[in-house]
Amino acid sequence: MHSVRIPVLVVGGGPVGLSTAMFLGRHGVPTVLVEKRQATSMLPRAPGLQARTMELFRAAGCHEEVRALEMGDSHPYFEGGIIQTTTFAQIDDAVILEAPSLDGPHVSPERVMGCGQDRYEKVLVTKAQEAGCEVRFGTRLTSVTQDAEGVTAGVRGPDGEEATIRAQYMVAADGASSFVRRNLGVERYGRGTVFNALSIYFRAPALEGLLKGRKFILCYATAARGTLMSLSRLHGCDPWLATPLYFPDQGEKPEDFTDERCVDIIRTAAGRDDLAVEVVWKVPWQGAQLVAERFRAERVFLAGDAAHVHPPAGGFGANTGIHDAHNLAWKLAATLQGWAGPELLDTYDAERRRVGEAMAEQAMIRNRIRHGYADDATRAAMVDDIIITLGYRYHSTAVPGGDADAPVLTPRLDLSGQPGTRAPHLWLDRDGQRLSTVDLFWDSYVLLTGARGGRWAGAARRAAERLGVPLQVHVLAADGELRPVDRPWTEAYGVTEDGAVLVRPDAFVAWRAPTPVADPDAALGAALAGAAGHAELVKEA
């Protein structure tokens, strides 16, 4: 038995846990991560990485390594959308079920990409370790208790040795059946299990020819007997991934799906009885919709599937979890480094639980549409993917300029500088270097102002010194430090040249002054205090 003391313990080494450790490390927070598996995933799951997710990897300095894993240009497959046909041999007659918008050059500096987690997890491990995280594979959490000063975790290593890890905070990214969540007694609400499925990873060299080069995210084949089978295209075709449903209420169980039955299903869906098929892996799973009743339990935080699970329709699962990780990491870093107020960590639950609920509902809507039992009201409630991935809004005390009545998801994408939304992307030039406004935000608050915003710079300096909160000031102007390239920044952010916008380290707008104010010191001081969790200093500021 030996003991370790560490600021943050991350439980779970999937995309969410690894991203949490990497983000924390990039913020200078020493971290230990424990994962019960012996290594990173061998399965190419969670293959769609959203533009916002790639923005987070860009901020963390790993987007180029992840982008290099893309097999060719995967973007056309996303543009192909979700389609349905009777058999894959009848691909010419396929109908489009969904044609989601996912990104755009005026919306984000990044593009959506296809890559299975079996590949990008390896990048995340390396980057987490380079940032100072200790990653322990083959290590199982056996107990967790907490008190006013920290969390005590019992773990068992690959050699069976017991150890104790004492951390100031714990992040539970240990999946849908989270040991941590259950141990803490955190309940979940939602519809529960809505379907059962089997992921069949297989090789079928002739299938590519049947598809005639048709590009799509998913193709549903209705001919497969007694099931609805989807074929995934994002992670490539070696192996392919097919996902038939099965029905426990009819007495079916995963063991009934022998290799022979799986081959029969695939051949039926393909429309070719002689198709050569090699089954590689079979993995049963459940499509469920459940959200934890709280994402924070004192010094323990739930992230990813431990906090919210939903059907895979839309591909929101891993992406939403990685966004959880990013939201939490900078707040933990701020708290551990001493400049955050006591309310800041509470805003993780306030912000991410509402987003998690919205993502779960949108996934459920897509699931109903794809499975053929959606009514008109359900279809009308679906919002475009680009709003879900880039247009969601935060409501909390860390958004002092926000509108508490604004919905988490709006009918149309509206990134124009409103507090609570991701700061608009704008291409800038700095001494010949091309960068995005999104590149300005990482480890401090940022105040953006224009050519006539000199008073804001002085107010920002004084507020930062008084509150002890890191704050940078950038002037966006034709003759300034940062020169907008494609459109005026005032147009993008909804302000005048003497207005100001306060942006958080995670690139979300906290507050803005569209025009000058009589007392910039008071206005900005109160906004910064609120955004950093210092509620007791808001009036004083």
Side-chain angles (χ1 to χ4, degrees), residues 105-106 425-428 484-488:
H106 298 296
H425 156 61
L426 192 66
W427 286 116
L428 306 171
V485 172
D486 48 0
R487 55 181 169 146

Side-chain angles (χ1 to χ4, degrees), residues 24-92:
L24 285 168
R26 288 279 292 166
H27 281 296
V29 177
T31 306
V32 170
L33 181 148
V34 295
E35 164 57 47
K36 62 184 179 182
R37 295 175 303 170
Q38 297 299 319
T40 55
S41 177
M42 295 178 60
L43 301 177
R45 294 183 291 191
L49 294 174
Q50 300 168 352
R52 177 58 182 160
T53 302
M54 292 305 297
E55 286 181 4
L56 304 185
F57 289 164
R58 179 188 182 103
C62 73
H63 70 298
E64 291 183 355
E65 289 90 339
V66 173
R67 182 71 67 182
L69 300 174
E70 188 176 22
M71 295 187 295
D73 183 4
S74 62
H75 207 265
Y77 292 93
F78 289 95
E79 293 173 339
I82 313 296
I83 63 175
Q84 180 178 290
T85 184
T86 305
T87 68
F88 302 136
Q90 297 167 285
I91 195 71
D92 289 338

Side-chain angles (χ1 to χ4, degrees), residues 13 18-19 21-23 25-26 33 40 60-62 65-66 69 119-135 137:
L18 291 171
S19 294
M22 178 182 66
F23 294 146
R26 288 279 292 166
L33 181 148
T40 55
C62 73
E65 289 90 339
V66 173
L69 300 174
R119 285 179 281 152
Y120 66 77
E121 277 188 7
K122 293 180 173 63
V123 172
L124 299 181
V125 168
T126 298
K127 289 297 181 179
Q129 291 172 330
E130 288 176 355
C133 174
E134 180 186 348
V135 179
F137 284 109

Side-chain angles (χ1 to χ4, degrees), residues 170-504:
M170 173 186 285
V171 180
D174 53 341
S177 60
S178 173
F179 172 87
V180 176
R181 186 193 63 245
R182 289 184 286 110
N183 190 274
L184 295 176
V186 177
E187 300 293 336
R188 294 184 292 177
Y189 55 90
R191 295 175 177 84
T193 300
V194 295
F195 67 83
N196 291 269
L198 184 74
S199 288
I200 306 171
Y201 295 90
F202 68 98
R203 294 189 174 93
L207 186 55
E208 187 74 77
L210 280 182
L211 295 172
K212 300 179 180 179
R214 180 71 178 263
K215 293 177 170 57
F216 54 81
I217 300 172
L218 284 175
C219 180
Y220 287 90
T222 59
R225 290 183 290 275
T227 186
L228 176 68
M229 195 187 86
S230 64
L231 183 73
S232 174
R233 195 64 178 86
L234 292 183
H235 70 272
C237 56
D238 187 21
W240 290 95
L241 169 60
T243 310
L245 303 183
Y246 68 94
F247 304 93
D249 58 344
Q250 299 176 18
E252 291 186 326
K253 53 186 182 297
E255 293 77 14
D256 297 334
F257 286 77
T258 63
D259 285 1
E260 291 74 18
R261 183 179 179 186
C262 291
V263 169
D264 179 65
I265 290 172
I266 294 164
R267 285 175 172 168
T268 302
R272 282 273 303 272
D273 290 339
D274 60 346
L275 185 71
V277 178
E278 176 195 358
V279 175
V280 181
W281 294 298
K282 292 177 291 187
V283 182
W285 54 279
Q286 294 179 329
Q289 187 202 42
L290 291 164
V291 180
E293 63 183 8
R294 52 198 169 116
F295 285 16
R296 180 183 185 183
E298 303 301 331
R299 288 179 171 265
V300 179
F301 299 84
L302 306 179
D305 285 356
H308 46 78
V309 292
H310 28 84
F316 307 142
N319 287 284
T320 303
I322 292 169
H323 302 186
D324 291 343
H326 189 261
N327 180 286
L328 179 58
W330 74 268
K331 294 173 181 177
L332 282 171
T335 300
L336 290 164
Q337 291 162 6
W339 56 263
E343 289 81 19
L344 186 61
L345 285 179
D346 286 335
T347 67
Y348 171 71
D349 176 83
E351 294 177 354
R352 293 306 301 174
R353 183 151 53 88
R354 291 191 66 185
V355 170
E357 290 171 343
M359 299 302 170
E361 185 60 29
Q362 286 296 312
M364 192 66 212
I365 288 171
R366 283 158 173 75
N367 184 72
R368 289 173 175 167
I369 291 172
R370 296 179 191 182
H371 290 191
Y373 54 92
D375 55 20
D376 291 341
T378 299
R379 293 186 182 90
M382 188 175 83
V383 302
D384 201 358
D385 285 41
I386 197 168
I387 300 166
I388 295 171
T389 62
L390 277 160
Y392 56 82
R393 297 171 180 240
Y394 287 151
H395 303 89
S396 76
T397 57
V399 186
D403 177 2
D405 295 325
V408 174
L409 301 175
T410 54
R412 293 184 301 276
L413 182 67
D414 186 10
L415 296 177
S416 54
Q418 311 97 320
T421 63
R422 200 272 266 131
H425 156 61
L426 192 66
W427 286 116
L428 306 171
D429 177 84
R430 178 167 58 193
D431 297 329
Q433 176 192 10
R434 181 180 171 89
L435 71 158
S436 167
T437 45
V438 174
D439 297 325
L440 302 176
F441 316 120
W442 175 253
D443 57 0
S444 73
Y445 290 87
V446 172
L447 188 75
L448 302 177
T449 189
R452 299 195 303 270
R455 295 181 68 202
W456 289 112
R461 184 183 67 254
R462 290 185 289 273
E465 291 176 353
R466 183 169 60 252
L467 296 170
V469 174
L471 175 62
Q472 298 183 41
V473 179
H474 291 296
V475 176
L476 280 63
D479 58 350
E481 166 211 358
L482 297 171
R483 295 178 292 283
V485 172
D486 48 0
R487 55 181 169 146
W489 90 278
T490 52
E491 173 188 311
Y493 280 78
V495 297
T496 62
E497 285 288 356
D498 42 10
V501 180
L502 180 65
V503 185
R504 309 188 323 182

